[in-house]
Amino acid sequence: MAIAALIFTGCASPKKIAYLQHAEDENYDATRYQHNIKVMPKDNLSIYITATDQDAVSIFNKHIGSNRNQYQGGIGGTMYSYAVDDDGTINFPILGRIKVEGLTRLEVEQLICDKLKPYLAAAENPIVTVRINSFHFTMLGEVGSPGVKTSGREKCSILDAIAMAGDIGIQGKRDNIMLIREAADGGKSVHRLNILDPSIMKSPYFYLQQNDVIYVEPNSIKKTNASVGTSTHLWFSLASVLVSSATLIVNVVNKTK
């Protein structure tokens, strides 16, 4: 079995293994800014407001309500996390309900900044900092370390995800990776990715979104080895039973002589 597996694996063509083949021949100008992820219900946003007069914006940094949690931020103040409700809104101090579903992080920052202006003098120059805290995805199948992964940055490609999962094993399909994406309303869509082809970098699915599920299927070699292994195990089990039965019969016959 081990020898057969080595033979099968050794026959794998580099064309079925090497990522992004002939990538230098592609033009990637159209891929700019395609990585911005959008806020979805069940996300968690950390928000902090700063201004020239910090006292003037302190009321907007208050911890009010059950959907906010406090922690020390790295920008000189305390940030608060806001859960995005099923209707795509957050409940923000003073400003009330704000619709953030479908917006990028920068768009949320600009939206809140615009809503703050009627409450602040122009000289106070409010600055809004937003972080998306809930970016995670799931890797399954023929990878080194399957499971739920969390990215510390919102720009995460399918190649980043594979690297975080310990790369694809030699017996995993690289030209037909399944990506399951969840929409804001909970609906699912299935897409197929070929990371051997450099044009994958132009795909709208090259960069991941929250809650994506990536499944790397076993290739034909793995399926063949699994089939051979199962059949061999059954035959060995049957042979063992037959040998044991024959031995028992021989012993019984010898004792009756």
Side-chain angles (χ1 to χ4, degrees), residues 65-227:
S66 60
N67 71 333
R68 284 178 283 276
N69 296 305
Q70 161 182 349
Y71 67 95
Q72 282 300 122
I75 55 176
T78 300
M79 298 188 77
Y80 296 93
S81 62
Y82 297 79
V84 182
D85 292 331
D86 290 338
D87 62 358
T89 66
I90 58 173
N91 189 14
F92 200 79
I94 310 301
L95 303 181
R97 287 282 171 184
I98 302 176
K99 184 79 169 183
V100 295
E101 177 189 332
L103 302 180
T104 66
R105 178 181 58 80
L106 294 179
E107 288 171 341
V108 175
E109 290 180 349
Q110 187 60 55
L111 175 62
I112 295 177
C113 190
D114 292 342
K115 288 182 176 293
L116 287 172
K117 289 178 180 178
Y119 297 89
L120 303 170
E124 287 158 359
N125 299 319
I127 298 174
V128 180
T129 301
V130 176
R131 295 174 182 167
I132 299 176
N133 301 322
S134 52
F135 188 84
H136 65 270
F137 57 91
T138 302
M139 290 291 300
L140 299 172
E142 296 296 313
V143 292
S145 175
V148 177
K149 310 294 180 181
T150 301
S151 175
R153 55 197 178 104
E154 60 185 72
K155 184 179 180 180
C156 183
S157 71
I158 182 65
L159 298 180
D160 294 324
I162 290 170
M164 291 174 66
D167 207 354
I168 297 176
I170 194 68
Q171 295 181 333
K173 280 188 177 180
R174 291 160 170 76
D175 59 353
N176 195 26
I177 297 172
M178 180 189 298
L179 185 146
I180 303 172
R181 177 154 294 175
E182 181 176 340
D185 61 1
K188 308 290 191 301
S189 59
V190 177
H191 312 275
R192 296 285 179 171
L193 306 178
N194 178 5
I195 60 172
L196 305 181
D197 185 349
S199 65
I200 182 65
M201 290 189 281
K202 303 176 184 179
S203 167
Y205 307 105
F206 180 69
Y207 288 102
L208 303 186
Q209 297 285 343
Q210 304 96 305
N211 307 314
D212 278 353
V213 177
I214 301 98
Y215 172 57
V216 179
E217 298 179 9
N219 59 23
S220 56
I221 297 172
K222 176 67 175 286
K223 292 177 181 178
T224 299
N225 288 346
S227 175

